[in-house]
Each structure stands twice: as structure tokens, then as C-alpha cells.
Amino acid sequence: MPHMTAFARNQWYVAAYSHEVGRELLGRAVLGETLVLYRSEEDGRPVVLHDRCVHRRYPLSEAPTRLDGDRIVCGYHGFTYDTTGTCVYVPGQKRVPRTARVASYPVVEQDSLVWVWIGDPALADPVSIPRARHLDAPGWVTVRGMEPIDCDYGLLVDNLLDLSHETYLHGGYIGTPEVAETPITTEVDEGAGIVRVSRHMDDAECPPFYARSTGIEGRITRWQDIEYHAPCLYLLHSRIAPAGVLPEADGSDPHGFHTEITYAITPSGDGTVYDFWAVSRDWATDDAEVTEFLRGNNHTVVMQDVTALNLLQRTLGTERTGYQELSINIDTGGLAARRILARLVEEGAKPVERVR
């Protein structure tokens, strides 16, 4: 088996988009924990419970399990749970066993994402969740999706922090020769768990992804500024403009096109990851044709990554013991992310000192 990146448990992870959580029961897995999600009728907030009935382990996200108001009724024997996971009814007897409860998880809905905390609930601080305001901000239009990948989540982090692969894997979509040829700058904030990787191209070919959506003809300036907030949120601030057009002194950019590309990287289990992807723009926001083009084009790009990472995971599983990985300058960001993830895993494994 290939090396698996360990899970940092005391962290927030994206379990779903807001639009996915409603009155239909939704099953997901995060860090190997099976979850059922639904939206409360009483206050509209998301509820996240462990997705296994205490009785015979029937999945609570599967039919004929149903909601009765805000209570979830197991479709196998009718065990019924409230929004805290407490069992309030069992068949054939009045007394409910004291141990009849399923885990309830801290949940925060923010920026059209539903974040869950799988670790020690006493440590779940909503203020620590990184922001992606553009996902539901006025004046922005977003296309989005999610693809499960049969690979270690560390491979997806590597993939997203080294965009030079765009030239080769995504040629004809977002990749051009300049992406691989242009050196990167990397900044690491170990304490905050943030890795920044920047690539600024002053004179580059305009890839079809942008040429067809913006109408720019000819060469462009292209800036890619990545912010990775370990372990889950990846932001790519993308800017393109006709070559030679630079931002004004105050940072404004009347001729530029700003696109925010967001990924939530959520390990569902060992060797499996949810790849939540979104492309947000503040230009041509009324143009439905541009919206559909970006949706289809970016989905194709994501599926190219899915295919490559599925293959890479299988390949690593056949490697001989002790094989040596070669890293170069383009890997600086990915290697920094690995260090931060290892630290978060280690910190999560330490016993928590309680104040008495």
C-alpha cells in the first residue's frame, strides 16, 4: 500500500455545500466517520449525526429512514433520534436505554459551505474556520461541483500546490507553456498553517479557458496566487489582463479579470478524498453562456485530475519498498504543506489538558 497521509482530527472540514443540505437525508464520510446531514425544520440549521443506528448499525442516510419533524426515524426498526443524537423512542418498550445515542458533531454554515468538526468537540472554535467570502458574496457568480477521488488526500494537496502540471495535464484548457516555465515564489506561515505559492507571468499565451470566456485576444499577463489553509481550504486568486496592462498604483485593475478558484480538500477515508471545486467571477456575471462554459470546462479539468490521481494512487501501491521520491523547486509549496499537516496530526494526537 502507498504511504497514507494521517488525518488531523481537531480541524474543520467541508462536508457539503449549503445547497446539498435540505430535508432529504444526505450521507457523507469525513476522516472515516460516516455522517448523515439534514436541515432542521425548526431553525433551518444543518444537523450532522453519526450515520449508524445504535441498534443494528443501519445507515440513517438510507431509505426508508425518514424525518419526522426534526427527528430522524431509522428505516430498519424505528429507533428515533433528536437533533442532539439522543434516542427518544425504541420499539416495544417505554424505557430508552441510556446508551442509545449517536454522536452529534459541531457544524458551522459559512460562505455556502457546511463545515464539520470530527475531533474533540470542546476544541471546535468557529472563529478558526478560513473564509471564502466570494462563494456567496453579492456581485459574484459561482459554478461548483464535487468529485470523489480514490486517492490519498495528500496527493490532491500536492497536485493543487504545484500548478506547473497545468501545462501538461491540462493543455488545451488552462495550461500553457509559460505556467511550467515561470519560477514560483513560496511563503510559509507555519504558525497559522498557511502556504502561499505565487507565479506571475508578464507575457503569456491566453489559454482557451480564459480566451473563450473573457474575449481577450493575444498575449496576457497572468497571475496565480495560491493560499492553502491546511488542512482543508485552497484558494487560487487568478488575474488575467491583456499583456502590458498593469494594475493601477492603488491596486485597482480596470482591465483585468479576477477569478477565484476554490477547492475544499476533505479526506473521506484512507485513500479517498472529496474534491469540492468552485470557480467564482465578478465579470460577465449576467452572461449565462459564460457561466455554462466555465462550468463544463472546469469540470473537464477536474476530471483530468481525478483520472491522474486515481492512476497515481494505484501506481504508488505497486512501488517497491524504499523507493525514493525526487523533489525540485516546484515542489516547495507541497513539501511545506506536508510539514504543516504532519504537525497538525501530531498536535491532535496529544492529550488535551483540561482546566479543573
Side-chain angles (χ1 to χ4, degrees):
M1 283 291 290
H3 168 72
M4 292 291 181
T5 309
F7 299 145
R9 291 187 69 81
N10 288 324
Q11 300 290 326
W12 291 99
Y13 292 91
V14 172
Y17 289 117
S18 288
H19 75 264
E20 294 182 286
V21 182
R23 297 293 292 167
E24 297 287 324
L25 298 170
L26 174 68
R28 285 278 151 87
V30 175
L31 309 191
E33 298 283 334
T34 54
L35 310 175
V36 57
L37 295 87
Y38 64 96
R39 198 172 286 280
S40 164
E41 196 171 53
E42 184 183 357
D43 59 15
R45 293 183 182 178
V47 177
V48 183
L49 303 177
H50 188 58
D51 186 26
R52 295 290 183 269
C53 180
V54 293
H55 177 231
R56 289 295 180 265
R57 315 305 294 165
Y58 191 82
L60 296 175
S61 60
E62 295 290 339
T65 299
R66 60 184 174 83
L67 288 172
D68 177 11
D70 279 349
R71 294 176 171 184
I72 192 165
V73 182
C74 177
Y76 195 15
H77 292 100
F79 277 62
T80 302
Y81 305 89
D82 66 16
T83 56
T84 70
T86 303
C87 185
V88 294
Y89 168 81
V90 299
Q93 62 187 61
K94 285 200 166 54
R95 189 183 70 81
V96 176
R98 193 168 39 83
T99 56
R101 63 166 48 245
V102 295
S104 170
Y105 300 88
V107 56
V108 171
E109 187 170 19
Q110 181 173 280
D111 304 327
S112 78
L113 301 172
V114 177
W115 295 83
V116 298
W117 181 278
I118 300 298
D120 181 347
L123 301 177
D125 179 7
V127 175
S128 66
I129 299 175
R131 299 304 302 260
R133 290 179 174 87
H134 51 271
L135 288 177
D136 62 359
W140 289 81
V141 172
T142 298
V143 294
R144 64 184 85 205
M146 188 276 280
E147 294 297 333
I149 312 179
D150 291 325
C151 80
D152 175 42
Y153 80 100
L155 295 183
L156 181 56
V157 175
D158 281 350
N159 171 281
L160 293 172
L161 281 167
D162 170 23
L163 294 182
S164 67
H165 79 273
E166 287 183 355
T167 300
Y168 304 97
L169 191 61
H170 306 309
Y173 291 90
I174 56 176
T176 66
E178 294 82 10
V179 181
E181 291 165 4
T182 305
I184 58 168
T185 60
T186 306
E187 294 175 29
V188 183
D189 186 335
E190 295 275 357
I194 300 173
V195 180
R196 293 182 173 88
V197 180
S198 296
R199 180 182 271 109
H200 294 173
M201 296 157 270
D202 291 332
D203 181 15
E205 181 186 326
C206 188
F209 183 81
Y210 286 119
R212 285 186 55 192
S213 57
T214 66
I216 290 180
E217 296 176 2
R219 310 283 288 179
I220 57 169
T221 60
R222 185 180 185 186
W223 290 23
Q224 296 175 326
D225 294 298
I226 295 167
E227 272 180 65
Y228 170 57
H229 298 257
C232 189
L233 188 68
Y234 170 99
L235 307 171
L236 169 59
H237 312 297
S238 170
R239 171 192 169 274
I240 70 161
V245 176
L246 298 174
E248 305 294 332
D250 63 0
S252 65
D253 189 3
H255 305 287
F257 293 84
H258 300 86
T259 309
E260 295 287 345
I261 294 152
T262 309
Y263 284 88
I265 303 160
T266 300
S268 46
D270 282 330
T272 56
V273 61
Y274 294 132
D275 181 356
F276 292 90
W277 59 268
V279 178
S280 309
R281 71 185 194 280
D282 63 356
W283 44 273
T285 54
D286 295 329
D287 193 323
E289 199 175 330
V290 168
T291 298
E292 289 313 306
F293 171 75
L294 292 177
R295 185 195 313 278
N297 208 274
N298 203 69
H299 179 254
T300 299
V301 167
V302 169
M303 292 311 297
Q304 288 171 335
D305 280 336
V306 170
T307 300
L309 292 171
N310 283 341
L311 174 60
L312 185 55
Q313 181 77 17
R314 291 197 302 272
T315 303
L316 291 173
T318 64
E319 283 286 2
R320 67 183 187 281
T321 305
Y323 74 93
Q324 285 298 307
E325 188 180 59
L326 173 67
S327 295
I328 57 173
N329 288 344
I330 60 173
D331 302 307
T332 310
L335 295 174
R338 291 183 190 183
R339 284 198 311 274
I340 289 171
L341 288 172
R343 175 175 61 76
L344 295 178
V345 169
E346 189 180 345
E347 288 176 358
K350 291 175 184 172
V352 178
E353 291 186 18
R354 300 279 184 218
V355 178
R356 294 188 182 279

